[in-house]
Amino acid sequence: MSFTFPWRGSPNVKGRILAYLEQADLCLARFRDAFTRYLAEGPGDAFDGLRAESHRAESAADDLRREIEQTLYERELLPESRGDLLSLLESVDHIPGAAQGVLNILFLERPALPGFLVSHLSQLVELNLEAYTAINEAVRALMEDPARTRALRNRVDELESRSDRLQQLAIRELYTSELELARKLQMKDVIRTIGAISDRCEHTADLLNIIAIKRRI
Amino acid sequence: MWRLFSAFFLGWSLGANDASNVFGTAVSSRMVRFWTAALLCAGFAVLGAVLQGEEGLATYAELSSYGVSVAFVVAMTSALTVTLMTLFKLPVSTSQAVVGAMIAAGLFADGVQWGSLGKVVACWVGTPLGALVAAMVLYRLLGALLNRLDLDLFAYDAFLRRGLILAGCWGAYALGANNVANVTGPFVASGLISPIMGVWLGGLAIAAGVLTYSYPVMMTVGKGIVSLNAFSALVVVTAEAVTVHVYAAVGVPVSTSQAVVGAVLGIGLLRDARTINTRTLGNVALGWLFTPAIAFAFTWAWLWIERAV
């Protein structure tokens, strides 16, 4: 028979979510480094090393997410808060996953990036990483300053729209180029996979919106 | 004194059933461990019985007065009625069963105080109605407060969890204060035990029921309440505690189940009246009519057979 003090808060969960976000940050930071290196130098050991670091950070984030899920299932928070946090974590977790998807294409397929796309790809990565930064801050704000969450959510929507427009522009230029169809398809895959980062961010922003609405009476 | 076993049995079944009305939500949703809830519930029920339970005992004394053997019959037939209604999965009102049995016993002995009976029956209507109004008012007030505070996710969660624990403790106190008269009222009225002994014995019997057999009922009934969100569950438990506590102060034993149904209905009316399941509501109303009627019939039959034999 165990007796738990009923007033205890949830420092474990909050602390672990913050630790998870730090790992996700690290994963995305290494993603940026790896992608930039690939743009500058193409495939090589430096890119592979940065990709491996990004992958390690993603694995560490995954481990933390599993720990958080276990803590939540064991006995923390109200069922609805528990459910919301689990959905939120699952949604956030797709973002580093999407970044890994981009690095995996570069690592496995080693595509040669055409010069006319370099600027678009670089901008696209920056826009998508900005969307991720806004989501990361929005999730932190949900646990500390809900009013700020709403503003960040709008920022994510805006960045996702800009990312969509840039993707369309890049794909249009790609298909008006003289590249072989196979390379065009390969490049389109790279562009779409980068864009998936902000798509995932938008999905998480929608979820944050629902979580906020549910708490208004 | 052996006849007091029937009172203990009734108190035990009352504690086992009614703990779900105050802590079912918290336990079934794994917010609080069962033993934490059970210990809090048992402790506050005993506290309520001992500190504020004598008012209800006085009402029972007014309602009817008869010997120890009849008090034994009243407790046994009430327990039987509660069990029968539980088999039909209808919300059980121990108060209604006991009062129905006492009226039968009083009529058999030609000793019912109809004035006091009117007060009790009026309160039966007033319990769900009072809880309904309390729930509507609390929903608006607490809702406005939470919207104004704009708490972050963890603070919001902690507010509701702590609120549910506090409301549960209050509900358990009100349960003990109000319902202890159902358990030992007939024996105190018969003069077998003193009011002080009545509140202690009744309180401990309720606590025993909570500690030994409330878990399955908490898991079943609590899940029904959880279909509301946590905020609504907090409002329901608080409205129930307020209502039952008011009746404890007036000295009329009422049903915590009826208070819960009234409070849930109040929230349903505020949010969307179309979500109210009228069929379930009809079944609940039938249960409220049948409970005292069946207890009355059981008691009358028992006493008639006893006299014939």
Side-chain angles (χ1 to χ4, degrees):
Chain A
M1 183 173 103
S2 60
F3 187 88
T4 46
F5 192 52
W7 315 118
R8 75 182 172 158
S10 304
N12 287 342
V13 177
K14 189 175 174 178
R16 283 176 184 168
I17 290 175
L18 291 174
Y20 168 85
L21 291 173
E22 276 173 25
Q23 283 302 320
D25 273 349
L26 184 63
C27 171
L28 272 292
R30 291 295 167 268
F31 161 73
R32 172 190 271 132
D33 296 342
F35 196 88
T36 308
R37 187 61 67 98
Y38 195 95
L39 280 179
E41 300 169 6
D45 289 345
F47 167 77
D48 290 352
L50 288 165
R51 176 197 162 267
E53 279 182 41
S54 177
H55 181 71
R56 274 197 294 276
E58 194 220 3
S59 297
D62 269 346
D63 292 344
L64 277 166
R65 182 177 55 83
R66 280 186 209 101
E67 272 181 39
I68 296 164
E69 282 174 357
Q70 195 174 334
T71 311
L72 286 172
Y73 278 121
E74 276 171 359
R75 196 172 308 275
E76 285 279 359
L77 303 176
L78 293 164
E80 60 200 56
S81 304
R82 202 183 296 157
D84 285 343
L85 275 180
L86 287 170
S87 308
L88 185 65
L89 276 175
E90 200 181 319
S91 179
V92 172
D93 202 47
H94 283 127
I95 303 170
Q100 286 301 299
V102 177
L103 296 184
N104 283 342
I105 293 174
L106 302 182
F107 178 70
L108 298 171
E109 301 176 18
R110 308 265 166 173
L113 304 177
F116 67 89
L117 271 186
V118 167
S119 164
H120 286 327
L121 290 174
S122 178
Q123 276 183 55
L124 196 58
V125 164
E126 288 309 315
L127 268 179
N128 278 271
L129 286 175
E130 213 179 318
Y132 165 73
T133 306
I135 271 298
N136 190 305
E137 281 179 39
V139 175
R140 286 170 195 269
L142 182 76
M143 299 185 290
E144 284 153 7
D145 180 11
R148 212 166 143 254
T149 307
R150 290 184 271 279
L152 289 162
R153 214 173 50 221
N154 295 336
R155 175 86 181 127
V156 173
D157 278 347
E158 182 204 324
L159 289 165
E160 195 274 338
S161 299
R162 283 172 59 192
S163 166
D164 273 356
R165 284 196 295 274
L166 189 56
Q167 281 180 72
Q168 284 173 7
L169 181 69
I171 292 170
R172 202 177 319 122
E173 282 188 24
L174 177 68
Y175 276 84
T176 52
S177 73
E178 297 299 317
L179 289 177
E180 285 172 31
L181 183 61
R183 283 195 68 196
K184 284 178 181 172
L185 290 169
Q186 191 182 35
M187 281 301 107
K188 190 168 93 169
D189 192 26
V190 172
I191 292 166
R192 289 281 190 222
T193 313
I194 297 170
I197 297 173
S198 58
D199 289 343
R200 296 293 187 182
C201 289
E202 192 187 35
H203 178 263
T204 308
D206 291 343
L207 209 58
L208 283 167
N209 191 30
I210 292 166
I211 292 171
I213 288 170
K214 276 166 72 178
R215 277 158 185 75
R216 301 294 294 177
I217 294 142
Chain B
M1 291 297 271
W2 64 270
R3 290 186 173 94
L4 283 173
F5 167 76
S6 63
F8 195 87
F9 175 51
L10 183 61
W12 177 86
S13 63
L14 191 151
N17 275 282
D18 286 13
S20 63
N21 289 332
V22 287
F23 273 112
T25 309
V27 172
S28 66
S29 59
R30 297 166 64 95
M31 281 183 287
V32 183
R33 287 178 200 276
F34 168 72
W35 279 109
T36 307
L39 286 170
L40 284 171
C41 187
F44 276 92
V46 172
L47 204 65
V50 172
L51 294 180
Q52 240 184 314
E54 285 192 43
E55 289 289 334
L57 291 176
T59 303
Y60 269 40
E62 284 173 26
L63 199 62
S64 187
S65 57
Y66 34 67
V68 178
S69 57
V70 176
F72 168 77
V73 174
V74 165
M76 283 305 285
T77 52
S78 302
L80 281 172
T81 307
V82 169
T83 308
L84 184 73
M85 298 309 280
T86 308
L87 285 175
F88 283 105
K89 295 177 182 173
L90 293 171
V92 182
S93 167
T94 315
S95 315
Q96 286 182 317
V98 172
V99 170
M102 285 185 79
I103 291 168
L107 281 176
F108 210 80
D110 208 15
V112 177
Q113 300 297 317
W114 294 106
S116 298
L117 179 68
K119 177 178 150 187
V120 171
V121 173
C123 289
W124 284 354
V125 179
T127 305
L129 212 60
L132 183 146
V133 173
M136 289 173 105
V137 172
L138 277 167
Y139 191 93
R140 288 284 184 228
L141 286 178
L142 269 178
L145 176 73
L146 278 172
N147 284 345
R148 182 175 282 263
L149 289 174
D150 199 15
L151 299 171
D152 67 69
L153 188 139
F154 287 104
Y156 178 87
D157 189 273
F159 178 90
L160 291 184
R161 274 187 301 148
R162 290 168 191 186
L164 272 166
I165 298 282
L166 282 174
C169 289
W170 188 7
Y173 177 91
L175 174 73
N178 188 291
N179 278 221
V180 71
N182 289 325
V183 180
T184 50
F187 291 93
V188 174
S190 72
L192 179 68
I193 52 174
S194 67
I196 291 291
M197 197 176 163
V199 292
W200 273 105
L201 179 70
L204 290 172
I206 293 171
V210 173
L211 291 172
T212 58
Y213 205 68
S214 63
Y215 183 75
V217 193
M218 276 192 192
M219 293 306 283
T220 311
V221 178
K223 278 178 181 161
I225 298 172
V226 169
S227 61
L228 298 168
N229 61 26
F231 173 73
S232 299
L234 171 65
V235 170
V236 165
V237 179
T238 311
E240 177 214 339
V242 172
T243 311
V244 175
H245 198 162
V246 166
Y247 282 110
V250 176
V252 179
V254 292
S255 161
T256 51
S257 308
Q258 285 182 356
V260 165
V261 170
V264 170
L265 196 61
I267 287 173
L269 286 173
L270 267 183
R271 287 164 74 179
D272 185 0
R274 286 170 301 180
T275 59
I276 295 167
N277 188 334
T278 48
R279 189 173 172 179
T280 306
L281 206 62
N283 284 340
V284 169
L286 274 180
W288 291 353
L289 286 175
F290 277 116
T291 305
I294 292 171
F296 182 96
F298 276 169
T299 312
W300 189 271
W302 185 309
L303 292 172
W304 187 81
I305 291 166
E306 202 173 65
R307 182 183 282 179
V309 173

